[in-house]
Amino acid sequence: MSLPLVVGAVSSGWTGFGWGVLAAALCGGIPAVVIFGGVRRGWFGDWHIGERSQRPKLVAVIVTLVVLALTLLVVLGAPMVMVACVAIMLATLAVVGPITLVWKISFHTAVAAGSVVMLAWVLPWPLLAFAVGGVVVALIGWARAEIRDHTPAQVLAGAAAGAVATWATLSVLL
C-alpha cells in the first residue's frame, strides 16, 4: 500500500503524495478491509486466502477497485507516473489472476517484485533499489515457502510475473 505514496511523493511532492493516498486507499486499503471482514465473517479461511476457490470473488473486487482508481486518476488529471503505478496493478492482476485459478502462484512476490521495478524506475538510484529490493523479494519468497504457503516454483513465478508485468507497463506508458 505504500508504493503509490512513495511514487507520488518522489515524482510530484505533496501533490503526488495526495494522488498516492487515493491510489493506496482504493487499491490497497479497501481490499485489506474486505479481506479482514471476509475472514471475520467466514468468507475466507485465512488472511492469505489460501483456499484457491475463495480467490475469484476477491480478485473481482480488487480488479473493480483498481479500475475505479485508474479511472479517477485519468479523469482528475493525475501525473502519468501515478496512472502507470495503478495500471501496473491491473496488469499484474491480469497476469497473476488467471494463473491463481489453476495454480497457487504467489501474489506476495508478484507485488514485491513489481514494486522493486517501479521504484527502480522512479528513484534516482535504480541499482540500489534493485539490490535492496531484490533482498526484500527474496526474503518474502523464502518466508512464503518456509510457512509452506507456496512452493519455491510458485514464489519464483510470482516474482517473475510481477516484474515483467511492471516493466512492460512502464515501457508502454512512460
Side-chain angles (χ1 to χ4, degrees):
M1 286 194 319
S2 62
L3 181 66
L5 304 173
V6 172
V7 169
V10 166
S11 65
S12 304
W14 285 107
T15 302
F17 183 80
W19 290 114
V21 168
L22 173 67
L26 287 172
C27 301
I30 293 174
V33 169
V34 169
I35 292 170
F36 176 76
V39 169
R40 289 188 57 146
R41 288 186 172 88
W43 300 341
F44 308 124
D46 58 49
W47 302 103
H48 302 289
I49 320 300
E51 180 60 43
R52 277 196 320 261
S53 66
Q54 297 171 345
R55 288 183 173 194
K57 288 181 184 175
L58 177 62
V59 169
V61 168
I62 293 170
V63 166
T64 301
L65 289 165
V66 171
V67 168
L68 174 62
L70 192 56
T71 301
L72 286 172
L73 290 172
V74 169
V75 169
L76 296 174
M80 196 58 185
V81 70
M82 288 306 306
V83 172
C85 187
V86 174
I88 286 164
M89 296 175 198
L90 195 57
T92 302
L93 284 166
V95 172
V96 178
I99 294 170
T100 198
L101 299 177
V102 294
W103 190 56
K104 198 176 169 202
I105 191 168
S106 175
F107 273 90
H108 286 85
T109 57
V111 170
S115 296
V116 169
V117 172
M118 181 75 200
L119 289 172
W121 196 283
V122 299
L123 291 175
W125 336 278
L127 292 179
L128 181 61
F130 276 125
V132 173
V135 170
V136 172
V137 172
L139 287 171
I140 290 169
W142 170 82
R144 304 299 293 157
E146 184 67 20
I147 65 172
R148 300 192 193 292
D149 209 35
H150 291 287
T151 66
Q154 292 165 336
V155 164
L156 291 171
V164 169
T166 301
W167 179 84
T169 303
L170 289 169
S171 295
V172 169
L173 295 179
L174 301 180

